[in-house]
Each structure stands twice: as C-alpha cells, then as structure tokens.
Amino acid sequence: MIELIRNTKIDFMGKRFYAFGLTGVISILGLIAVIQVARGTANLGIDFAGGTAVQVKFEKNVPLHDIRIALDEGGLSDFDLQDLPTENKILIRVKKGEETLGGFSEKIISILSQRFLNNKPVVDSTTEIGPKVGAKLRKDALLATIVAIIGILIYVGWRFQFRFGVGATIATFHDVLAVLGLFYIMGREINLILVSALLTIAGYSLTDTVVVFDRIRENLKLRQRESVEVVMNSSINEVLSRTIITSTTVLLTSIALFFFGGEVLHDFSLAMIMGVIIGTYSSIFVASPIVLIWGKRPFAKK
C-alpha cells in the first residue's frame, strides 16, 4: 500500500484534553441544532416543515437556472428544484404552512407559461405535505438516527469491548452532531437528503474508527508490558498514512460532487465534505482517548 508518511511519532493521546474541549463545543452546537429541529424552528425542508411538490413537464429541456430566475421574478421563495433532464421534467418543492397549501401548481404553471412561451409546461403530478406529516417525518428521522447509533454501540461492543463501543458511538454521534450543527449555523436547509448524508457519514466514521481499534487491539496483545497510552499512540501512528489516503480519496470524490454534481447533490456533497474531515478527526482525537480514559487496565486480550 502507498504510504504518504512513515514512522511518525505524534503524541495524539497527549493532546486529548485540547481535543475534548473542541469536541465539547461542537457537540453543544449540535445539540442546540437538534433542539431547534425538534421545535421546528430551524430551516427545515418541506419533508419536515410541510409544503407542496409540483412536477412540471416541458416540451424541451430547460436549465434549472432559468427556472429559478422565472420563479424568483414570479414572487415565489423558499423553493427547491430538482432536474429530471431525460424526461424534460422539473420537480419544484415549495415550503408553506398548512393554511396556505393548495393552488401552488396553478401559480407555478402560470409563471412558467408566461416565461417559456415556446416551451409549454404542464403539471405532471402534485404532492402536498402538511406540517403534521412533516412532524412525523422529523420524529422518524430522529428515531432512525438513534437506532443506528445504538446498533453501532452493540456491534463495536460485541466485536471489541464495551469501552470501545462507547468510544466509537460517542465519536460517531459527535460527527453527526457536528455536521448538523454546522448546517444549522450556516442556515442551510435540513431535509431528508441531509439525513441520508448524516447516516452515510456515520457509516464512514465508524469504518475509520474500527480500523484504528483493530490495530490497537492487535498491539495490546503483542505489547502487554507497555502502557495503554503508548500502545494507542503508536497504533494510530501506524495507520495514520492509511487514514489520510482513505480520507483524501473520499474527500476528493465529495468535492467533485460538490462542484459538478448539480444542485440536487450540492447539500449532500457539502455534508460529506464536512463529515469526512470531522470523522477523520474524531477517529483519532475522540474515539481512542475516550477508550483510554474509560479505564486504564485491564484491557482484555481478545
């Protein structure tokens, strides 16, 4: 395997208290975002806040940018666009309260018909999501995230030890909170696409953490006379090159999606970029230090 750096001797464990300070700030920010999402006061997408989704079919393909300008000038705000170029269709999603639902499809068609006189639009389908349905989706998304995290705790606890499971679970939860918190303070929309990205980040972060834990477990068996802190430091340094290569590869892919994947994948790829950086940090500075402070000895030699 290609090694970018070799024989590093970085004292990661010695910096754990600085990392805990940063992790605490990030986690508090994430918890505030969770509370705001639960209260419905964050910038929620129509999946969670309710609204109308109208699928419009054109005779010829129309760039999303032109649709956006037309709707902006037509007086619509808080809408998302999704392009279906092979079928000349555009999905328009508009956030609205329950009392104002209905009538949007007619307004959208009126705006687009006036703008594109030689490319007649017709409504292909209309879907309305009320605030009550949005609230249920919020609860379901939160439940899915909690179940996934509990599953991580059980899996890592079974594969290693309970303390490793705690470390991996807190690190993974930290990553999800961090990305959610950053999206919240940036005012980005929180929707089902972001939930998909958060679950993907959780899977990536867990995989990275398990690789580090595997090396720590192997070295704990071979170097029983050395302190756990020394073994953890050397284990992280041994897999550091692999961690950097893997993270860089995923990061470059996410950056490519961000710039060239179109508007539909923009928030997903942005969340992935944040998640890869934060996940790499947490696998080194959060997961292993938590295992270390959970208890010095004995570490079972599984």
Side-chain angles (χ1 to χ4, degrees):
M1 183 177 177
I2 299 175
E3 288 191 61
L4 292 179
I5 51 177
R6 296 182 181 180
N7 303 321
T8 56
K9 295 181 181 178
I10 302 172
D11 181 16
F12 293 107
M13 294 299 108
K15 299 173 178 57
R16 60 183 181 275
F17 294 110
Y18 298 106
F20 285 159
L22 177 60
T23 299
V25 172
I26 293 173
S27 299
I28 290 172
L29 177 63
L31 288 173
I32 292 173
V34 170
I35 293 171
Q36 296 298 82
V37 170
R39 294 177 58 203
T41 53
N43 181 17
L44 303 177
I46 72 164
D47 308 315
F48 297 146
T52 304
V54 181
Q55 187 165 280
V56 180
K57 182 176 176 60
F58 289 87
E59 294 175 350
K60 296 176 288 187
N61 189 32
V62 181
L64 279 185
H65 180 68
D66 294 347
I67 299 288
R68 186 177 297 283
I69 291 175
L71 295 179
D72 274 333
E73 293 179 352
L76 287 184
S77 59
D78 285 339
F79 59 85
D80 295 324
L81 300 178
Q82 183 175 346
D83 195 7
L84 304 171
T86 58
E87 303 177 55
N88 297 333
K89 293 180 181 178
I90 303 289
L91 179 62
I92 304 165
R93 302 191 298 177
V94 186
K95 284 190 287 185
K96 279 291 175 184
E98 188 172 30
E99 69 282 4
T100 55
L101 286 178
F104 264 105
S105 59
E106 291 80 2
K107 184 174 182 179
I108 288 171
I109 286 299
S110 173
I111 294 171
L112 297 180
S113 296
Q114 294 176 23
R115 182 80 176 199
F116 305 101
L117 297 174
N118 299 320
N119 193 3
K120 186 179 179 182
V122 295
V123 175
D124 198 52
S125 65
T126 302
T127 304
E128 293 186 350
I129 301 175
K132 292 180 180 178
V133 176
K136 184 178 184 307
L137 286 173
R138 282 205 306 273
K139 290 179 182 177
D140 290 346
L142 181 62
L143 181 63
T145 305
I146 292 173
V147 169
I149 290 173
I150 292 174
I152 290 169
L153 176 62
I154 295 172
Y155 166 70
V156 180
W158 167 77
R159 179 167 174 176
F160 297 92
Q161 296 176 22
F162 180 72
R163 72 183 77 184
F164 283 93
V166 172
T169 303
I170 292 177
T172 304
F173 195 53
H174 158 271
D175 300 342
V176 171
L177 285 178
V179 176
L180 183 62
L182 288 173
F183 260 63
Y184 172 70
I185 62 173
M186 292 168 64
R188 310 288 297 194
E189 187 175 281
I190 297 170
N191 51 33
L192 285 178
I193 292 177
L194 177 61
V195 173
S196 303
L198 293 178
L199 294 177
T200 305
I201 291 166
Y204 170 81
S205 175
L206 177 64
T207 303
D208 203 32
T209 302
V210 166
V211 170
V212 175
F213 282 178
D214 265 332
R215 184 57 60 92
I216 291 174
R217 181 175 60 176
E218 291 172 6
N219 285 337
L220 283 172
K221 292 178 184 175
L222 299 174
R223 300 158 59 176
Q224 297 183 20
R225 293 185 178 181
E226 298 180 44
S227 71
V228 175
E229 185 171 339
V230 170
V231 173
M232 283 187 170
N233 260 332
S234 61
S235 300
I236 295 173
N237 278 290
E238 288 172 11
V239 299
L240 186 59
S241 181
R242 176 264 173 205
T243 300
I244 292 174
I245 290 173
T246 304
S247 300
T248 303
T249 304
V250 180
L251 187 61
L252 290 175
T253 305
S254 301
I255 291 174
L257 279 177
F258 181 80
F259 285 108
F260 307 112
E263 291 188 41
V264 177
L265 295 177
H266 199 263
D267 280 356
F268 180 87
S269 53
L270 178 61
M272 286 299 298
I273 291 171
M274 295 176 180
V276 170
I277 296 172
I278 295 169
T280 304
Y281 157 80
S282 71
S283 67
I284 296 173
F285 288 104
V286 178
S288 299
I290 287 174
V291 175
L292 178 65
I293 65 172
W294 193 262
K296 295 287 184 182
R297 289 281 185 181
F299 272 76
K301 310 300 186 293
K302 286 188 176 182

